[in-house]
Each structure stands twice: as C-alpha cells, then as structure tokens.
Amino acid sequence: MSDDLFAFRLWRRAPDSAKWLPASRLLMRVGGGGSMAPAHLSWGTEDGAQSLVGFSPDMASCYGHRRTTSGDVVEVRGELDDRAEHWEGAAGARGYEFDTEVQDAGSWHPAGRLWLLIDDGGEAPVRWAVWGDQSGNTCSIALRSLSPSSKADVSDLVSVVWADAEHRDAGEVARNLVDASANKWFAPHSRASLEFQLTQPVAVDRYVLTSADDAPDRDPAAWTLRGSVDGHVWRTLDIRSGQSFAERHQSRMLRIAEPGPYGHYRLDITGNNGSPHLQLQAVRFLTDGSGGFVGSRQRAGRAPVPYRGIRVAQAVPDMPAKPPHIPANPLPEDASAHPSRTRSPLSTPGSSPSPRARGSRPSEWEGWRPGGPWLPSGGRLSMESLTSPSGRFTVLHSVYEPSLAVRDNVTRARVWVSDSPGSSLVCLGPDGDLVAWDHHGNRVWSTGTGWLGVRRLEMRDSGELALTGADGGVVWSSGIPQAPAAAGAGHLTAARGSAMRRGESLHGQSLTSGDGSTVLFHDGHAVRIMVKGQTSHWDRFYDQETVLALDDDGFLRSRALDGAVVEQIAGPGAELVVVRGGAELRDDAGAVVWASAGRSTRLAPVREPAMPQNEVLAAWFGALAGKGTGYCVAVVKESTPLEVLRRTGVPPGSEVRGTWRRLERLRDAAHPDGGKVVAVIAVGPDVLLVSDDSALPVAALAPSTSVVSLHRPCEGGGFGETFSLHQEGRIVSEFRDDPRRRKGAKVGEVAAALDDIAHELHRHELVFRTAGVVPSAAQLGGPLLGGVLAPLRSPSAAPTAGSAEPLLAVEGYEDLNPLVIRTDFTDEDAWGRVVEELRVPWVDDDPVEPHLICDPRYADAPTELVLQAVRAALPGPSLPGAVFIADDTTMRGTGHPLLAVSTEWDGEPFEEDEEEFVTQFRLLPDTAVEISTNLDLGNMDFEDFVDGGLYERRW
C-alpha cells in the first residue's frame, strides 16, 4: 500500500556557488490506489515557500529549485535514502487522505482515494501541490480550510492564562499574549511558566511565538510545550533549544509532531538570550484547518476536468518491510564524482551494516554488557554502575559527591569511596590507567596503573574493586571491606543491563541502553535519565533515600527504605527498558504503557558504519605524536595526499613514504633546531592528516573544500582542544574550552555527529563522524606519506611601528585581587566611591587591594576591546578568572555596579546557533574580591555567581 512513499536525502546550493550543503530530507507520497511514481512535483506551504523538483525514471534521484520565505532561490538535488530513521519517522509526518470526485458531463463521479504527504522539514503545512507521472497524467490541488482563516487560529478559545511571573504594575501581564493588545508579557526572571486553558479540547498542531518590542536578549531561547487533558497529568509535545528571533515583533510558527486533543497547554521557558528578564508579544495556537481540496486532473491526451476531495483522515503511511524502489546498486560506478554517495572503506555495497554498540570492539569486550560485573580496557562510566555477580556490591560513578564509590546492597552503606573530586567521566584507558575526568577534560584522579598490563575493572562479590591483568592477577585494588554476612536475598533484586523486571529495583545503580547513549541513574536521592552525558527530559529528586522499584504488581514506584510508597510513577507493566533517548515501561506483549519521552523527541538512530572508540583514537594519535606532545588531526575532503602536503608547506620532491619514526629522523637531520612533521593517508577520496604541530593552520587547506580538524595542545590532557569545521575558506563550526566557544552546533554534519557520539568531549570521534570518514585499523597502522615543515622564525618582541592598539599596562598585578579597568572618566567623585567600596575588608578585616587601571586610551572602549587587551597583557596562568569594568553604568547607577566579564570569553560575538554561555553580569563593588578570589582559587565557576540580578555581598 505504501509503494508510493519515498524519502530523499537533499542538498542545496546558492545559484552562484559550486558547493552543495546538506538540507532537510523530503518525505513524499502522492497518488491513490496503485503505485504512482511522479515525474515532477511542485508545492507551496503556508509560510510562502515554493518548491519544484523533477525525478529520475527509477526514482533514485531528483533535482529542482526552491524559493524560500525570504524570496531567495536555491538549487536542490536529492538521492533516494534507505536509512531506517526516515521510515520510523514517517508515521509522525503530516499527511492527508481524501475521498475524491471528478466532474464529467456536468455530473460528479467518484474517483477513489487520494493520499497526499509532502514533508520537506519545514514547520508550515502544504497549501497547494501540482504533480505529474511518467505517463503524462497530471493533478493540481489547492487545499481549503474548514475555517475562514486558512491558519485555523483557535487562540480565541483560551479562557484562562496563568503565569508564575508577570509585571502587573506596568500592565505587562500574561493575558496580553492572547488578547488583541499592543501590550506584551514581561517577567523579571530568565525562566518562567505559562499555562493556557481552553474552553474545549483542541488538537493544536502548530503554535506561534511573537517577539516583543525591545531587548532581544529577553527573547526565549529554550522552552518545552506540554499538553494536558485535566491540568494535572502533562505530556511533552515539543522541546526547543538554541532559539532566537531575528527581528522585533517577529512571529515564528512551530510545529507539534504528535498533536492530541488537550484542553490545557503549558509553555515552560527554561532559558533566554542572556538577560535576567523574559518577554513575549503573543502566543497563538493553530489547528490544521484543511477540510478538502479543489483542483483539476488531466489524463494523458485528454482535456483537464474539475477535481475535488473531502478529507477523511490524516494519512499515516504504512511502513514497508524495506524502502521501495531501491536500485540494486545505488552507487554510481564513479563514486568519487559524487562525494555524498561515497561509502567508507569499511562498508561495501550489499554488505550488512556493522552494529555500533559503542563502536568496533576488540576481543576483550566479548561477553561484556552494561551494568555487569566488569568493564574492559577502553570502557567508560558516566553516571553508570557495575554490580558484582551475586548483586551484593555495586560501584557507581556520579557527578555528585562521592564521585566514585562502592555500595553494599544489603546494608545500603558505602564501603569504599575514592578520593577523586567531582568528575563527569571515568575511563579505563587503553594503557590500563583508570582515570576520572572533569567536564573540561582535565584529569582529576587516576590509579596510576598505566602500562602495567591492566585489562579489566572488576566489581567482585567480596566488595573489592579491582584492576586485573590478562592472567586475572590483581594490579590495583580498593581493598576488601569488612561487611556482614548477607541475610536474605534482598540484594538479588538489583536490576542491571538495560532492563528492570518485576521484583527488581535500583538503589545506587543504573541501567544503560544497548548503544550506550542513555542512562537511567539512581544514587539514592536522585533518579535521572541522562542522554549523552547530559540531563534529559525526566528526573526525580527526593528529600529522603529511596528505592526505584518495579513491584510484583507491575507498578513503577519510588519507595522509602522502610518500604513506604513515596511516588507511584506508572504501570502496570512487565519490564522497564532503557532505550536510545528515554525509558519505556512495557507490558507482557511488549506494548509500551508509559514512556519518559515521545518517540518524536528522541535521538535519531546511530549512523553506520561503526566508529572506533574515542579512547582508542586518542591513544593511537597520542602514541604516534609522542607522550606529552601536542598534535593536530584533520580530514581534508575530496583531495589527494600530495595536494594536502603542498598546501601545508612541504617542499615538492621532499615527500617520504614510511613510518612516523622515519619522518622524525628526517626532521632531526634536516632541522636540528626544530621543525614539524606532517603525514597523510588516503581514505577513499579524502585525506587524513596528522601533524605534531598542534597549531597547524588548517584554514589554508580549505579554500575550495571542507576540512574537519582537532587541535590538541601539548600536555593538554583533553583541555584546550579545539574542534573545527572549515568550508570554502571560512570556519562554520568550532568547539573549544579556552576561551569557551560552541559555534555551529546546528550545522548539519556537526549536529548529526553530535547525535552519534556518547559525549561531546569525545572530539576524535566528532572529527570522523562529521567528515563521514572511517579509517580502518590497517590504514591507521599502515605506511604514511609525509614531510617536514621548517621551524617558524620567532617574531621580534619589539613593538611594531604604527600598532593599532598598545598593550594594556598591567604591571604588578597579583592573583586573587580584583582587576578593575576604568572606561568612563566623566565623574571623579563616583570613581572615588567605587574605589572606596572595592577596598572594604572581606575576611578577617584584611584590607582589599584592587588592581586599578585608569588609562584614558580606553575611555568608552567596548567590552570586547578591554577583554582582548587584558588577555594579551596577561597570557597563560596569570590571567584572572574575571575582569571588572567601571563604565558609564557604574558611574551613574545606584550603588555603582561594576560589570564582571569572564576571561574565558574571547570577545567574539556569539552567533545564533551557539549555546547560551553567561559571559558577564553586574555586581556591587564590595563583592569583587569575593568573586576574583574564588575564581582564581578554582573554588567556583563564573556561572556560579550569576543569579539573575545584581550580585551582592553574601557575608
């Protein structure tokens, strides 16, 4: 029945560009009854966009153009896509089914069913469509609405609007959001909840948010829309993050993938674009108002006739056993001519995809499963646990204190606690060292067992946590605790793996999905679902210790240690299963009776083929470049090894084929005073580059291609790494830690790669996922083609004539003291009061000595210029955690509030798709010493002092 359903992977390019960029996929079904493969299709959507594409006879490809809502025209091309996520997602796509009629000789006659589904990834629904098949038959239809407005606005059904914060004195209240009023809604917080009650249940499938009149930083940037039948039990309908509004009074239409008839809707705004306040002009709710269509139908060789239809249902396409019309060999003979079709060296046409399950595994992984009693070399724990074979003892990693601890599941007591501070990840590296890493990628604790032959981390029934070698001998041990004999079999109920069955429970344990992306974590007080190392959509926090149990009656409950029910969550069911992106409670037949998240909001399936583990890649490149040496790894798309070497500066004719060690010997002989090694490997039509120059300028490689790179500094331990994607000579995505930056997270290739890795800090995997390149072990260990770059001459330390800006003079600055820079020189009395407040004693009545800079050259200087000057004047470890600027607001404001600016920011403006990162806030002058001291000692982070208002002295 669904042999006329097609999914195409699309690319787009501007008319004056030669570069094709990824675009949203096209899911399409037009026709009725039999199989209809269209030769061409045109359609327009409610937002004004228009598209036209033509299809090859075998439906393997398409080509056309699109006029966007802004009036720009782009070319589009596509290829039939057989990836499973398209067919799984088709059930949630917008489609229609009509009973149709044609007019003949003045009378209307039945013409069968028509199915129409056109999903191009946009928010707005289709309003008209024209198509024709290979035989010359054509149809054109215009959808008509059940309501006078084609948008079917049902906002007038809202009877009650409630907000947990609003500005009543100014009349900026929540009711303004749905009234025909010029007033806005304003809240004096960066987070707020809005609730709308309708006079009747309505299946809202789109909603509109309109930005207010001023202050773009007050616009919502992240929110969740929920629906409820009774106002008590809520279902998540839509989740957004990283959002912004380009203009004032701009209306953005947003689509709900799985609408339902709800009488209550709640909008929880969880972040904005930097302000301590929130605002919106309007919120509107829309339904799909299509009641049918009018149009014409023309058979080949005949005159067109009137054609009309009445909608009978929203068409949910049947999922085929396999995607239709897939050619036997979808790859062209010359695959290199079409890079988007090029397969990796590990994948051949016709071969079955290799399972990822955390990447390709060596033999020591055989028999391993999440939550079992052991972890192999190369494994990791991120809010995950290992439980001993009998279930008596569990070791749990947590981001809370203690970071790593062993618990006795009979007495509920911790019998061993590591002395590591808080960490985000614990890894058993390929070298055998068990290492805890913080969220910056810094090593904060280790067992010191590197290169001692460790193969496993074992949680034993004796309560001992042990690192063992290939022969089973203990290399490191936490010790065997004094534990009472087990009474009864209560500890045998501990769940493990990815499922918890009736009679099992979690207390200080975790469940992990089969692909390792999702964890259900329980530490005694908190129950959280973590997706890719970050908090997701569902959590519970209790003020007492609890047990998460799937009781014998099938209900999922939180119970106190004495057995009392604290919360009944869901049920009845037979097992709770953690899957990619959420948790599901299933009955005996496997049907889902409760889910922590709807399928439409979960992560997409992992792309194939399998990717080597991040730790394996890091170990390989680290060993190649040498211990303690920085390096650069890059993938240059659609190039050749010789071309890459030329562009990096290797002299022609000096290339050497062989090992890295041979290249090092060549470097030592030719350039005893230094020099850098560059080596390349061909991976299909692309080139893998490795250099021991961690600052290698890869931008020079990308004037006409794409370059994905990772720069790891010397002794960085992961901190200070920079991931970047260059396209056509410009950087489109960059992640780095110092200064912190997250640019281009929504670039298509990068977004897909982030979906596929278990943790954002795994940037080696991010490079290869983004590039779509999977080098084999044979390639990584094979012969290299390389050369040596001559050492760069050190630039003169003397200042050059005509420098645009002199360095800021910061002589005598000492750590822990506030560094205060004056940029307003209009009021000497106000400046005197600022200095007086800065010197107010903080601890033990000791006077505070702020470092004051009053340089008239920086009068009215913007924040970016001041910060760049400070970073240039105080490089490296002497750079304070924050600088304090006395600007015009300081001189004129009540209390003379200074501006605190984080030095982790490099002064470059953040772009639309970057994650919110607080870079500055206001404070009273006497608090500057508290902030600078805690930042410089590392006791607190910059964000810890941001509370949405003016920071005041706490003690």
Side-chain angles (χ1 to χ4, degrees):
M1 178 104 168
S2 61
D3 55 354
D4 50 1
L5 176 65
F6 302 91
F8 289 88
R9 185 182 180 194
L10 296 184
W11 291 263
R12 60 177 173 81
R13 70 177 178 186
D16 56 350
S17 173
K19 184 68 175 180
W20 288 97
L21 300 175
S24 299
R25 64 96 170 89
L26 171 64
L27 187 66
M28 176 196 70
R29 182 186 187 188
V30 293
S35 171
M36 178 178 177
H40 61 84
L41 172 67
S42 304
W43 69 95
T45 52
E46 196 174 85
D47 57 5
Q50 300 179 19
S51 303
L52 184 151
V53 292
F55 303 94
S56 62
D58 61 356
M59 297 300 292
S61 62
C62 65
Y63 177 83
H65 64 266
R66 175 178 175 85
R67 183 180 296 276
T68 66
T69 56
S70 61
D72 297 327
V73 176
V74 296
E75 294 178 83
V76 295
R77 69 174 179 87
E79 296 170 357
L80 194 67
D81 199 337
D82 59 350
R83 291 189 300 170
E85 59 263 33
H86 288 338
W87 308 100
E88 293 173 357
R94 183 184 307 279
Y96 306 101
E97 184 177 347
F98 301 95
D99 269 332
T100 68
E101 296 176 305
V102 294
Q103 190 176 45
D104 185 23
S107 300
W108 290 94
H109 304 280
R113 289 290 176 92
L114 171 69
W115 288 273
L116 177 68
L117 188 158
I118 303 174
D119 187 341
D120 58 5
E123 301 286 355
V126 171
R127 279 296 160 221
W128 61 264
V130 179
W131 67 93
D133 64 12
Q134 303 289 343
S135 302
N137 303 316
T138 61
C139 285
S140 64
I141 66 172
L143 299 180
R144 56 187 177 86
S145 175
L146 288 172
S147 65
S149 167
S150 62
K151 291 185 169 116
D153 192 332
V154 296
S155 304
D156 56 351
L157 298 179
V158 176
S159 59
V160 177
V161 185
W162 171 88
D164 62 359
E166 55 188 14
H167 192 192
R168 295 184 179 181
D169 292 342
E172 295 172 337
V173 296
R175 185 68 205 182
N176 295 337
L177 293 169
V178 295
D179 287 346
S181 167
N183 295 329
K184 66 185 178 184
W185 164 73
F186 174 91
H189 304 290
S190 60
R191 303 166 67 98
S193 292
L194 296 160
E195 190 171 324
F196 305 84
Q197 181 177 339
L198 280 60
T199 57
Q200 65 187 59
V202 177
V204 171
D205 64 352
R206 285 157 294 148
Y207 63 105
V208 177
L209 302 185
T210 302
S211 61
D213 53 353
D214 60 358
D217 57 351
R218 297 177 184 173
D219 293 339
W223 62 81
T224 299
L225 181 69
R226 295 179 170 90
S228 173
V229 174
D230 57 4
H232 299 287
V233 179
W234 296 89
R235 176 176 177 267
T236 298
L237 302 177
D238 192 36
I239 300 176
R240 305 276 173 160
S241 62
Q243 305 295 304
S244 64
F245 293 78
E247 302 172 357
R248 301 299 84 208
H249 305 292
Q250 178 191 9
S251 295
R252 291 191 54 195
M253 182 184 298
L254 305 153
R255 177 177 167 184
I256 297 172
E258 296 181 9
Y262 300 110
H264 303 260
Y265 289 88
R266 190 175 77 206
L267 185 67
D268 293 319
I269 303 174
T270 56
N272 62 10
N273 284 283
S275 170
H277 307 139
L278 278 172
Q279 65 179 19
L280 273 174
Q281 183 73 40
V283 177
R284 314 297 290 176
F285 297 101
L286 312 177
T287 64
D288 191 341
S290 176
F293 71 85
V294 294
S296 66
R297 190 176 76 174
Q298 184 175 17
R299 298 303 188 189
R302 299 184 183 181
V305 296
Y307 187 41
R308 70 185 184 187
I310 300 297
R311 182 182 176 193
V312 295
Q314 175 159 329
V316 178
D318 303 322
M319 294 300 100
K322 61 180 180 179
H325 302 290
I326 303 296
N329 183 4
L331 286 178
E333 291 185 5
D334 182 14
S336 63
H338 302 276
S340 61
R341 294 187 181 186
T342 304
R343 295 177 180 262
S344 77
L346 298 184
S347 177
T348 57
S351 65
S352 60
S354 51
R356 184 174 193 265
R358 297 194 180 206
S360 302
R361 300 300 197 190
S363 58
E364 56 261 34
W365 285 84
E366 185 176 351
W368 171 85
R369 64 169 181 157
W374 57 277
L375 185 74
S377 173
R380 55 184 176 259
L381 299 175
S382 181
M383 298 186 78
E384 296 171 271
S385 63
L386 303 175
T387 299
S388 66
S390 71
R392 173 72 189 269
F393 294 94
T394 294
V395 59
L396 175 71
H397 170 261
S398 174
V399 295
Y400 312 112
E401 296 293 347
S403 180
L404 191 67
V406 175
R407 187 192 296 269
D408 184 339
N409 294 325
V410 171
T411 65
R412 308 292 190 187
R414 294 186 179 95
V415 295
W416 176 81
V417 176
S418 76
D419 57 0
S420 67
S423 63
S424 64
L425 193 68
V426 171
C427 293
L428 181 57
D431 61 352
D433 199 6
L434 185 65
V435 180
W437 306 88
D438 69 10
H439 68 284
H440 288 301
N442 293 317
R443 178 192 298 250
V444 295
W445 175 83
S446 79
T447 54
T449 51
W451 311 112
L452 297 181
V454 171
R455 290 293 180 267
R456 280 190 180 186
L457 173 67
E458 297 181 4
M459 184 69 259
R460 299 184 166 185
D461 280 330
S462 63
E464 176 188 29
L465 187 66
L467 293 172
T468 60
D471 59 356
V474 175
V475 180
W476 173 92
S477 170
S478 65
I480 299 176
Q482 295 289 329
H491 61 281
L492 297 177
T493 63
R496 62 181 76 207
S498 62
M500 178 164 62
R501 296 165 182 83
R502 287 178 180 171
E504 295 182 339
S505 63
L506 291 179
H507 180 267
Q509 291 132 353
S510 66
L511 299 177
T512 304
S513 62
D515 67 354
S517 69
T518 306
V519 176
L520 174 60
F521 165 86
H522 186 288
D523 72 342
H525 287 275
V527 184
R528 311 180 75 178
I529 291 180
M530 312 295 295
V531 180
K532 298 164 71 60
Q534 299 181 357
T535 303
S536 183
H537 51 269
W538 189 85
D539 52 34
R540 294 290 188 274
F541 296 91
Y542 303 104
D543 57 4
Q544 59 181 310
E545 281 210 68
T546 62
V547 177
L548 181 66
L550 186 59
D551 291 335
D552 291 335
D553 60 2
F555 279 88
L556 183 65
R557 298 183 176 98
S558 286
R559 291 183 176 274
L561 296 186
D562 62 4
V565 174
V566 177
E567 181 185 11
Q568 181 166 299
I569 299 170
E575 64 176 357
L576 179 72
V577 183
V578 179
V579 295
R580 183 172 176 83
E584 297 178 347
L585 183 61
R586 301 173 180 172
D587 62 17
D588 291 311
V592 176
V593 299
W594 173 85
S596 64
R599 290 188 177 274
S600 62
T601 63
R602 297 184 194 171
L603 299 173
V606 179
R607 291 182 297 165
E608 301 295 350
M611 173 61 64
Q613 271 191 282
N614 188 78
E615 288 82 3
V616 174
L617 292 170
W620 190 87
F621 290 116
L624 186 70
K627 184 174 178 61
T629 302
Y631 58 84
C632 171
V633 178
V635 175
V636 185
K637 300 291 292 180
E638 302 175 59
S639 190
T640 64
L642 283 175
E643 177 65 19
V644 171
L645 290 178
R646 293 287 180 277
R647 290 188 177 178
T648 54
V650 174
S654 65
E655 307 87 5
V656 174
R657 186 172 297 279
T659 65
W660 183 271
R661 299 297 171 240
R662 181 181 180 188
L663 289 168
E664 287 184 317
R665 289 195 295 269
L666 176 65
R667 185 262 315 276
D668 294 341
H671 302 285
D673 55 342
K676 298 295 182 179
V677 174
V678 179
V680 290
I681 306 169
V683 184
D686 308 315
V687 176
L688 170 63
L689 175 148
V690 186
S691 173
D692 58 3
D693 181 3
S694 62
L696 189 73
V698 299
L701 302 171
S704 60
T705 185
S706 295
V707 178
V708 192
S709 66
L710 171 72
H711 299 268
R712 167 165 282 192
C714 178
E715 296 288 3
F719 181 70
E721 288 182 346
T722 299
F723 160 88
S724 64
L725 168 61
H726 288 79
Q727 291 180 340
E728 297 182 334
R730 68 186 186 93
I731 188 167
V732 298
S733 182
E734 183 180 50
F735 294 172
R736 63 189 181 200
D737 304 297
D738 183 25
R740 184 171 170 181
R741 187 167 176 82
R742 183 181 167 86
K743 170 184 170 64
K746 293 183 180 179
V747 173
E749 305 95 315
V750 178
L754 288 171
D755 279 343
D756 291 344
I757 62 178
H759 200 287
E760 184 186 301
L761 293 176
H762 294 170
R763 292 178 182 162
H764 291 82
E765 286 198 48
L766 186 59
V767 168
F768 289 97
R769 285 281 180 185
T770 300
V773 172
V774 186
S776 67
Q779 286 173 312
L780 289 177
L784 308 173
L785 179 65
V788 176
L789 302 177
L792 296 176
R793 294 183 178 181
S794 300
S796 172
T800 58
S803 297
E805 282 293 339
L807 287 179
L808 198 66
V810 197
E811 295 87 356
Y813 169 73
E814 296 181 0
D815 290 347
L816 309 185
N817 291 323
L819 177 59
V820 184
I821 300 170
R822 183 181 180 186
T823 63
D824 185 283
F825 295 84
T826 61
D827 191 333
E828 291 301 323
D829 290 339
W831 172 244
R833 288 191 291 272
V834 170
V835 174
E836 183 179 349
E837 288 294 314
L838 283 166
R839 289 174 173 162
V840 171
W842 177 46
V843 177
D844 298 331
D845 293 330
D846 292 335
V848 177
E849 292 298 331
H851 191 95
L852 307 176
I853 297 179
C854 300
D855 190 336
R857 292 175 300 178
Y858 287 90
D860 300 321
T863 303
E864 293 87 350
L865 179 60
V866 173
L867 184 58
Q868 290 166 357
V870 171
R871 290 182 62 86
L874 291 172
S878 60
L879 186 69
V883 296
F884 305 95
I885 299 176
D887 55 10
D888 57 346
T889 300
T890 304
M891 301 305 176
R892 294 168 177 76
T894 303
H896 303 298
L898 295 167
L899 180 67
V901 183
S902 170
T903 57
E904 288 190 3
W905 181 39
D906 61 357
E908 297 181 19
F910 272 53
E911 299 186 10
E912 178 179 343
D913 64 347
E914 296 190 64
E915 278 192 352
E916 180 184 2
F917 172 49
V918 178
T919 59
Q920 50 190 263
F921 64 91
R922 291 282 173 181
L923 71 154
L924 293 179
D926 64 353
T927 65
V929 62
E930 172 192 349
I931 295 172
S932 61
T933 300
N934 280 289
L935 290 179
D936 292 349
L937 289 176
N939 294 336
M940 302 174 73
D941 293 328
F942 189 84
E943 294 90 340
D944 294 332
F945 294 98
V946 181
D947 60 1
L950 185 68
Y951 188 83
E952 301 179 5
R953 180 168 284 193
R954 298 297 188 257
W955 58 80

